[in-house]
């Protein structure tokens, strides 16, 4: 089949790879000049299969309410005159029950395990290097109450087959000795040795290069304007070349939307309304002055809800979420507070280890659903339209598996995992291939 994939982040490129492996004629379209230049560019770098709890839980509403007025809070909800934000918030609240939490965790763990196995196989087959560290993820707690809650969460995850170990302060420092200077403030931690970390952007760009070498076509710097419909299906994608300003309509047999937070605006005009809302995340990437004193195990700091990952001679500090629409600016007062908080916290944990004078700040829009479960499968009523979006903070974790699973669904196969895929599973294969000028 001729397949067009819209979006070149980790999700879109993984989808293109697996479709190409099945022998399909694949074209990827993106407005940027290369892969992974938006949400996949500078995330927390963690492959966190075992740390995948949904944001929505029984304690979340009270925490969010307490954080409303704090610009540096881990989750900041800025009310706007936006009906989609309010709808998302109401549905989020409906997921803040123990039953919904357990149900959502099961699906996220299943997708994470499937994706991790897919990633390992892909890396073994291709030899892609991306500052990968297979040292697990260590979650540390700075209060006794938080540690107790973390231990309870670890017990829940173990029920779903996750090897999350509860550690004392001494055991935490044994796993990551670099935390020694902060050790007196640590009450304990949890550790999953099977998790890992690595640079999502580097991986995605190298995978895109391999896709191109194997015949996948890329239309870079093309704005995606909209989808055409005819006869109850997608009949084309309207695009504009940013360099030439010339418009065209791309035609294919099947269409995949993997545009993260921007998927919703593209899909609503054709009657597909997804519960995805952007969560503005931040990161700081710092050069290391003392690499031998820096952490190598990927960390989760429970107090600040941030991830800290080693990427060669740099350190990545990432986290926080701001529900404030599609604003990607870094120069607002709130953005500056949140960026500064990342660097300040790292200096508290590892004083003098990194060069904080020239932090490389970044922000991206995580495509979040109220359940944290992404949409993977075929769209209702449009048999040749496929969805791979809504991965929130777990796009890097779930990228390979989401691409592989969607490619399998498009072939009428059932992926080997217990997950609630959307839509019918068997596409109608045809042989229409064309490109017409608009």
């Amino acid at each position: 089949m001729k397949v067009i994939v819209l979006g070149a982040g980790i999700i879109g490129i993984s989808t293109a790879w697996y479709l190409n492996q099945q022998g399909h004629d694949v074209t990827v379209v993106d407005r940027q000049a290369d892969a992974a230049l938006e949400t996949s560019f500078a995330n927390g770098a963690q492959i966190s299969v075992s740390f995948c709890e949904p944001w929505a839980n029984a304690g979340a509403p009270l925490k969010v309410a307490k954080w409303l007025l704090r610009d540096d809070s881990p989750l900041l909800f800025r009310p706007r005159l936006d009906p989609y934000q309010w709808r998302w918030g109401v549905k989020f609240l409906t997921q803040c029950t123990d039953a919904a939490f357990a149900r959502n965790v099961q699906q996220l763990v299943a997708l994470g395990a499937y994706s991790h196995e897919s990633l390992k196989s892909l890396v073994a087959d291709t030899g892609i290097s991306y500052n990968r560290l297979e040292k697990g993820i260590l979650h540390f707690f700075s209060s006794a109450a938080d540690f107790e809650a973390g231990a309870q969460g670890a017990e829940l995850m173990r029920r779903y087959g996750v090897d999350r170990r509860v550690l004392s302060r001494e055991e935490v420092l044994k796993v990551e000795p670099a935390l020694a200077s902060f050790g007196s403030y640590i009450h304990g931690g949890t550790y999953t040795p099977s998790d890992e970390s690595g640079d999502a952007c580097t991986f995605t760009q190298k995978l895109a290069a391999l896709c191109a070498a194997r015949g996948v076509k890329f239309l870079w710097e093309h704005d995606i304007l909209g989808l055409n419909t005819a006869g109850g299906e997608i009949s084309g994608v309207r695009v504009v070349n940013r360099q030439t300003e010339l418009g065209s309509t791309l035609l294919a047999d099947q269409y995949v939307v993997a545009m993260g937070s921007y998927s919703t605006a593209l899909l609503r005009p054709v009657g597909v309304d997804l519960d995805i809302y952007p969560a503005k995340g931040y990161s700081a990437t710092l050069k290391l002055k003392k690499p031998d004193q820096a952490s190598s195990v990927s960390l989760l700091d429970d107090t600040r809800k941030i991830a800290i990952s080693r990427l060669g001679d740099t350190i990545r500090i990432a986290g926080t979420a701001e529900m404030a629409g599609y604003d990607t600016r870094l120069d607002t007062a709130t953005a500056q507070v949140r960026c500064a908080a990342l660097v300040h916290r790292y200096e508290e944990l590892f004083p003098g280890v990194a060069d904080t004078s020239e932090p490389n700040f970044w922000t991206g829009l995580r495509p979040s659903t109220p359940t944290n479960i992404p949409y993977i499968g075929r769209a209702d009523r449009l048999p040749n339209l496929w969805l791979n979006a809504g991965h929130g903070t777990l796009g890097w974790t779930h990228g390979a598996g989401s691409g592989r699973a969607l490619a399998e669904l498009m072939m009428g196969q059932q992926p080997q995992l217990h997950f609630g895929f959307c839509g019918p599973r068997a596409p109608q294969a045809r042989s229409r291939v064309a490109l017409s000028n608009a």
Side-chain angles (χ1 to χ4, degrees), residues 5-9 28-39 218-225 239-243 259-263 265 326 328 365:
V5 177
L6 303 176
V28 178
V29 188
D30 197 275
R31 63 185 175 186
Q32 299 293 345
D34 200 349
L37 292 184
E38 294 196 25
T39 305
F218 287 88
L219 297 180
W220 300 118
E221 298 184 274
H222 277 67
D223 287 323
I224 301 164
L225 302 184
V239 301
V240 170
N241 186 317
R242 284 188 166 188
Q243 296 296 319
M259 295 169 55
S261 299
Y262 299 96
S263 301
Y326 288 82
T328 58
L365 301 179

Side-chain angles (χ1 to χ4, degrees), residues 6 9 15 198 218 394 404:
L6 303 176
T15 303
F218 287 88
L394 295 171
R404 176 184 169 192

Side-chain angles (χ1 to χ4, degrees), residues 18-31:
Y18 285 104
L19 288 170
N20 174 261
Q21 293 293 98
Q22 292 179 348
H24 301 303
D25 181 0
V26 182
T27 299
V28 178
V29 188
D30 197 275
R31 63 185 175 186

Side-chain angles (χ1 to χ4, degrees), residues 301-316:
D301 175 4
D302 188 77
T303 298
R304 295 296 182 183
K305 301 294 188 293
I306 58 174
I308 300 171
S309 296
R310 179 75 172 266
L311 297 172
D313 61 354
T314 66
I315 202 80
R316 171 78 48 77

Side-chain angles (χ1 to χ4, degrees), residues 197-256:
S197 60
D199 192 327
C201 178
T202 298
F203 174 87
T204 306
Q205 291 184 350
K206 288 185 176 181
L207 186 61
L210 289 178
C211 284
R214 286 161 169 76
V216 174
K217 293 178 283 294
F218 287 88
L219 297 180
W220 300 118
E221 298 184 274
H222 277 67
D223 287 323
I224 301 164
L225 302 184
L227 301 171
N228 294 338
T229 59
E233 65 177 18
I234 301 299
S235 58
V237 183
R238 303 188 307 279
V239 301
V240 170
N241 186 317
R242 284 188 166 188
Q243 296 296 319
T244 66
E245 298 185 352
L246 294 177
S248 61
T249 300
L250 311 178
L251 308 182
D253 301 310
Q254 308 289 329
Y255 302 82
V256 178

Side-chain angles (χ1 to χ4, degrees), residues 85-257:
Q85 184 198 53
W86 285 97
R87 184 184 70 174
W88 189 96
V90 170
K91 292 190 175 183
F92 176 84
L93 291 175
T94 67
Q95 299 297 313
C96 293
T97 67
D98 291 338
F101 180 83
R103 181 176 63 248
N104 296 335
V105 163
Q106 283 182 301
Q107 291 205 53
L108 292 171
V109 169
L111 179 59
Y114 175 84
S115 187
H116 201 187
E117 181 267 325
S118 302
L119 176 66
K120 289 179 178 179
S121 297
L122 196 162
V123 172
D125 291 342
T126 62
I128 291 177
S129 61
Y130 50 98
N131 281 317
R132 182 185 192 185
L133 288 175
E134 297 178 90
K135 294 188 175 183
I137 294 177
L138 176 64
H139 190 175
F140 63 91
F141 301 88
S142 301
S143 78
D146 289 340
F147 177 44
E148 181 179 352
Q152 293 173 355
E155 174 59 32
L156 174 64
M157 297 303 288
R158 285 197 293 271
R159 296 177 197 169
Y160 302 122
V162 171
D163 181 19
R164 187 185 294 186
R165 305 170 186 178
V166 179
L167 307 182
S168 66
R169 174 194 291 128
E170 292 72 23
E171 290 170 324
V172 167
L173 297 179
K174 186 175 180 180
V175 172
E176 183 46 85
L179 282 167
S181 65
F182 191 75
S184 61
Y185 298 98
I186 295 175
H187 285 256
T190 65
Y191 177 56
T192 54
S194 58
D195 286 337
E196 57 180 271
S197 60
D199 192 327
C201 178
T202 298
F203 174 87
T204 306
Q205 291 184 350
K206 288 185 176 181
L207 186 61
L210 289 178
C211 284
R214 286 161 169 76
V216 174
K217 293 178 283 294
F218 287 88
L219 297 180
W220 300 118
E221 298 184 274
H222 277 67
D223 287 323
I224 301 164
L225 302 184
L227 301 171
N228 294 338
T229 59
E233 65 177 18
I234 301 299
S235 58
V237 183
R238 303 188 307 279
V239 301
V240 170
N241 186 317
R242 284 188 166 188
Q243 296 296 319
T244 66
E245 298 185 352
L246 294 177
S248 61
T249 300
L250 311 178
L251 308 182
D253 301 310
Q254 308 289 329
Y255 302 82
V256 178
V257 175

